[in-house]
């Protein structure tokens, strides 16, 4: 009897233990499932958040790309618009420098003259020198006015057809005044011009005017003589041209060797005057007929 009671008790304990164990297993399983659901929910939430971030980033990149494209398109459009616009003429372009007037030149030169006066120890503000800078500027522009002139300007169409005269034409003792380009001091004297026409003649006063065009520049006498001869050749295409010049140079008189009586003679011959010694001799005899310095 006792053994049966013990056996029943053991069976009961085992059953209770089995039920308890099964209950614990079920409880653990429920807990793990709950935890799994929680983790799964958290993972889904993270994934959704990640997708949202990626979508925002894609939208931002697209927005920036569109903005950049708009800027490029705008720049291209501006460039095309600029190309279509007609270029402003130099006279109206804001960036183009304004043509310098004579008043501008005088003002600039007068300022430089004041500096020169100060450098030599003078007072440019004293009464006798107040207007000297402006006077000097205007005078120097006059002395060099030949830079703004051409032979065509001064001949002014005074070239005429003349087939009858084939002999020498000579104009003597034309006064000449120029500035030595080495010291910018004057040299003065006379020039004699002769030519033999070849179907055309030029007004006599125009020979003097042609000489003046080249004399009113910074010069050396040698070049001045040749330029006068070449200009006459170009103007009327004569058979020949001869030019003789005699001058006194202030750079030899007022400074340097200071030789008051020294004079410089230069000559330039073209065409038949250069080829024919007799023609050349005739010219020299004409210009020296009564002495080169006589009136």
């Amino acid at each position: 009897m006792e053994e049966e009671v013990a056996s029943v008790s053991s069976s009961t304990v085992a059953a209770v233990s089995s039920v308890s164990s099964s209950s614990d297993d079920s409880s653990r399983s429920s807990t793990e499932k709950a935890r799994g659901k929680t983790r799964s929910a958290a993972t889904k939430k993270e994934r959704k958040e990640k997708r949202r971030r990626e979508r925002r980033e894609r939208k931002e990149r697209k927005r920036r790309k569109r903005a950049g494209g708009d800027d490029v398109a705008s720049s291209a459009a501006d460039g095309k618009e600029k190309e279509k616009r007609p270029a402003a003429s130099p006279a109206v372009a804001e960036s183009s420098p304004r043509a310098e007037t004579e008043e501008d030149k005088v003002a600039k030169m007068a300022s430089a003259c004041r500096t020169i006066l100060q450098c030599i120890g003078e007072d440019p503000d004293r009464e006798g020198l107040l207007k000297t800078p402006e006077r000097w500027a205007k005078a120097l522009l006059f002395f060099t006015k030949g830079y703004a002139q051409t032979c065509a300007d001064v001949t002014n169409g005074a070239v005429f057809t003349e087939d009858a005269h084939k002999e020498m034409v000579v104009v003597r003792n034309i006064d000449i005044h120029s500035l030595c380009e080495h010291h910018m001091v004057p040299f003065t004297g006379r020039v004699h011009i002769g030519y033999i026409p070849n179907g055309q003649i030029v007004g006599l006063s125009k020979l003097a005017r042609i000489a003046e065009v080249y004399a009113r520049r910074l010069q050396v006498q040698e070049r001045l003589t040749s330029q006068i001869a070449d200009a006459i050749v170009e103007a009327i295409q004569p058979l020949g041209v001869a030019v003789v010049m005699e001058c006194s140079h202030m750079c030899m008189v007022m400074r340097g060797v200071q030789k008051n009586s020294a004079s410089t003679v230069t000559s330039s011959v073209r065409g038949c005057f250069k080829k024919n010694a007799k023609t050349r001799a005739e010219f020299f005899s004409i210009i020296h007929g009564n002495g080169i310095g006589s009136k």
Side-chain angles (χ1 to χ4, degrees), residues 100-165:
E100 193 173 39
T101 65
E102 184 167 339
E103 289 75 14
D104 295 332
K105 294 177 182 178
V106 169
K108 192 185 297 185
M109 294 168 69
S111 176
C113 184
R114 285 181 59 86
T115 301
I116 292 171
L117 290 173
Q118 291 170 341
C119 289
I120 65 173
E122 265 290 0
D123 177 11
D125 293 319
R126 71 177 176 85
E127 183 181 5
L129 295 177
L130 283 176
K131 294 186 178 181
T132 296
E134 185 176 346
R135 292 192 192 104
W136 172 83
K138 291 179 178 179
L140 188 57
L141 288 174
F142 177 80
F143 295 155
T144 57
K145 67 178 181 177
Y147 287 117
Q149 295 177 320
T150 66
C151 289
D153 294 334
V154 298
T155 55
N156 195 28
V159 176
F160 312 101
T161 301
E162 180 55 66
D163 295 322
H165 190 81

Side-chain angles (χ1 to χ4, degrees), residues 172-283:
R172 299 190 305 167
N173 299 325
I174 301 170
D175 290 332
I176 204 83
H177 309 282
S178 190
L179 289 178
C180 165
E181 68 179 28
H182 301 141
H183 303 95
M184 289 183 66
V185 294
F187 65 90
T188 62
R190 293 178 179 179
V191 61
H192 315 284
I193 301 173
Y195 73 96
I196 297 178
N198 186 27
Q200 287 186 315
I201 59 174
V202 64
L204 296 177
S205 68
K206 305 307 179 184
L207 296 175
R209 291 187 184 279
I210 289 172
E212 183 86 350
V213 167
Y214 293 101
R216 294 299 184 182
R217 303 178 183 186
L218 300 182
Q219 280 287 11
V220 294
Q221 185 175 326
E222 298 88 340
R223 182 174 65 238
L224 174 57
T225 308
S226 296
Q227 285 178 334
I228 294 170
D230 292 335
I232 296 169
V233 170
E234 183 179 349
I236 56 174
Q237 295 82 45
L239 295 174
V241 175
V243 179
V244 172
M245 187 181 299
E246 182 178 5
C247 291
S248 175
H249 291 250
M250 292 300 104
C251 59
M252 288 182 63
V253 174
M254 296 179 64
R255 57 162 300 282
V257 294
Q258 300 181 55
K259 302 302 179 184
N260 295 339
S261 301
S263 64
T264 302
V265 180
T266 51
S267 67
S268 185
V269 291
R270 303 286 186 271
C272 61
F273 286 94
K274 189 171 187 176
K275 298 174 183 177
N276 194 315
K278 290 184 178 180
T279 304
R280 187 165 60 252
E282 181 184 352
F283 171 72

